[in-house]
Amino acid sequence: MKGSNKPAPSRSVVRAMIWATVPVLLLVQLLASAGVEISSFWVQIRQLDARIARVAESRAELIAEPLWKMRYDQVTGVLNEIMHDESIAAAAVYDDTGVVIARVVARPVVQALTEVSRPINYSNGNMAVQAGRIAIAYSYASLYMGAGSRLGLLLVVGLLGTLATVIAMRISANIFIGKPLAAMMSAIQRSKQDGRAYPADVKSSNEFGQLAIAFNAMQHTTSGALDRLGHMADHDPLTGLPNRRSLSERLVTLSRDAGSPDALIAFSFIDLDDFKGINDTFGHDAGDKFLVHISERLRGTVEPEDWVARLGGDEFVVIRPEVSNEAAAQAFARQLLEAISAPIMLHDKQVVPRASIGLAVRHAGDPELSHLPALADIALYHAKSKAPGTVAVLDEALQHDYRRRRELELAVPSGFSEGQFEVWYQSQVDLETQDVIGLEALIRWRHPEHGVINPGEFLPLIERSGNNARLTRYVLTDACRALQRLAAAGTPHIRIAINLPPSELADHSLAACLRETCERFGVAPSLLELEITEGSLINNIASASDTLRRLRRLGATIALDDFGTGYSSLAHLRRFPLDKVKIDKAFIHEIPESAEDRAIVGVIASLAGTLGLTLVAEGIERAEQVQAMREMGVRLGQGFLFHKPQPLDAVLRQLAECGGEDRVLVDSPSIAPEFAV
């Protein structure tokens, strides 16, 4: 270490001590001196007040007889006698009527004065009267001047004392603090330069000497400790595999050490399926044991030149630095899946692990090599969403889908703010009369670049971006506005159905929002129908039941959508406050040709009739299906045979062409005859 650098730690510490101590020391001295002086000053003030009061009382006795006998020259003489006191500025005597008899001014008034007044009492035999009063004005100027001089002297003395203290502190701090610290800092800097351990040369036996001894002892173990810390920073403590931090370095090394830029590198991104279920069922300790088993299997499957890492949670990475082609990379990935899926014993229970793998293959010289984790993650997302437990290989189509999905997900907020989302409506009709009795609100996204986007594509993106509640309120507002326009067009009894995402069933503010929106547009909540799926009920049983009952108290109708495709059971129909059941179009499509579908719909119709639920058949496209539904007791229908989803203006035109109110089932009986308690 250079000599010019050695004093720096010493000067820094010593100066810091001085700058931290001197102001405090000086302030304490000044405050103590000022406190003493102020105390003395107030004592002098009180003494002066008492002395002037005694003067006023004594002069009042001397003036009493001359004042009563109107010997005013004697009164003036008595006042003149007290003017030699430099504190007194003026004195005056008043008779019993308040008239000034005598006034004496000793010096001009230069600052505020204090006045003391005493009555003048005269007595002669049995007579005792108040002849007047005497007033004396005096100043504290001399006391202020004296106090100021003493404070100045105290300040000078304090500064000199502080300076002497600073010099003493500087000398002692350099000896006892600065030099030991400089020695230890020199040893630390030298150790940082070449990684070797250097002792600190401190001879004192005080605390700094003991600190130097401890420091020197620690230096002996520094090298090994640094190695262990480095290993811990780059490896997963549970499995001992490299971690996410070392992944970037590994990719750089692969690119640099590859024998040829055209060498193919296979990157397998592994995600365990339903690992949360393992933790929830067997506990986190068993979950850790499960992860260790998986890591050992991966180690045992790969070759010595392969690289295995755990990125965190249930995510693993396997990199094969050289494969002959993409087919070989896929075969290797499937080999990894087979190794993972061998049964594992947890708490005497046999568990069969399942995993999904996203595979990306790139040349060693490819600029995208550093993006392999993100590229493989795209393939992994496809595997988990489309075919869990399989290997998905990244290709141009997946990358295109990913870019489009990310672009649309980022565009969701602007879609709301710019009014790109549109609410279209599809009619529900009475199968007997063909009258329109309701509309279903269906969201559409008219993107400025991609045109009208299918709801199946953008609704999951809205859910991922946390905008479900915003979408529900957006549709609710449009539906209430539509009800307002329907009433103005002479069709005030048509209901509008709104689909509720699962997350909304856990939102207890939804009922209040619905009430407020209906009040704002002047429509009745009973004209709104809220459609939910069985899956959303199962995942939110407690909160869903509470939310649905709040909505029904307002008068809204509750419909169970896509019945028969999810977790259909009688318990669901009995447990929740439902009014209507919508039979999924999957059961309607093959009717009347399919005897099985006819039987299923017949059972559903019979069950709905027993429970007092109204049935709606979705996906009706042919007249024969209408006839079959009527024969099975299904009263309401919805599908392309009647109307396709379209903007509200088109719906209003069709209603007007059909005869307006004459074609609407004005007298349709309520499907929610009484609200839930």
Side-chain angles (χ1 to χ4, degrees), residues 377-512:
D377 193 34
I378 295 172
L380 178 62
Y381 176 86
H382 178 78
K384 292 189 72 67
S385 60
K386 303 298 182 182
T390 62
V391 177
V393 183
L394 181 72
D395 55 21
E396 289 298 327
L398 287 183
Q399 286 186 271
H400 177 269
D401 291 344
Y402 172 77
R403 285 192 293 268
R404 176 181 170 91
R405 185 170 65 250
R406 285 295 299 154
E407 179 185 348
L408 293 179
E409 187 172 353
L410 294 174
V412 166
S414 60
F416 280 109
S417 60
E418 297 175 8
Q420 297 172 9
F421 290 103
E422 301 175 3
V423 182
W424 290 9
Y425 296 89
Q426 185 178 28
S427 62
Q428 295 178 359
V429 302
D430 186 300
L431 298 181
E432 294 289 342
T433 65
Q434 301 296 303
D435 292 325
V436 176
I437 65 163
L439 302 173
E440 181 178 0
L442 301 169
I443 193 69
R444 296 292 185 268
W445 187 358
R446 192 181 297 277
H447 193 277
E449 297 178 9
H450 302 292
V452 178
I453 303 172
N454 188 288
E457 181 179 3
F458 71 80
L459 286 178
L461 304 181
I462 289 180
E463 182 176 0
R464 279 166 54 91
S465 63
N467 283 285
N468 267 345
R470 187 175 184 180
L471 179 64
T472 299
R473 282 142 184 79
Y474 187 92
V475 176
L476 175 61
T477 300
D478 196 273
C480 288
R481 187 181 294 111
L483 288 171
Q484 200 177 49
R485 294 185 62 187
L486 286 167
T491 55
H493 298 286
I494 290 182
R495 291 187 180 90
I496 292 183
I498 299 173
N499 291 282
L500 290 185
S503 59
E504 288 299 275
L505 294 181
D507 186 358
H508 292 168
S509 67
L510 178 61

Side-chain angles (χ1 to χ4, degrees), residues 351-364:
V351 178
V352 179
R354 294 179 69 248
S356 301
I357 296 182
L359 175 64
V361 181
R362 285 292 183 271
H363 291 287

Side-chain angles (χ1 to χ4, degrees), residues 62-80:
L62 295 175
I63 292 172
E65 183 175 352
L67 176 60
W68 178 255
K69 295 180 178 180
M70 293 184 291
R71 299 172 185 166
Y72 300 139
D73 54 341
Q74 295 182 17
V75 173
T76 302
V78 172
L79 293 181
N80 284 328

Side-chain angles (χ1 to χ4, degrees), residues 309-360:
R310 180 190 175 207
L311 301 190
D314 58 350
E315 295 180 342
F316 293 84
V317 161
V318 177
I319 301 177
R320 174 152 282 188
E322 189 169 351
V323 292
S324 56
N325 50 46
E326 187 175 288
Q330 292 186 50
F332 174 60
R334 286 192 292 270
Q335 184 181 353
L336 295 175
L337 274 186
E338 293 175 4
I340 291 173
S341 59
I344 294 176
M345 296 300 295
L346 293 177
H347 293 179
D348 298 328
K349 301 290 184 182
Q350 181 172 283
V351 178
V352 179
R354 294 179 69 248
S356 301
I357 296 182
L359 175 64

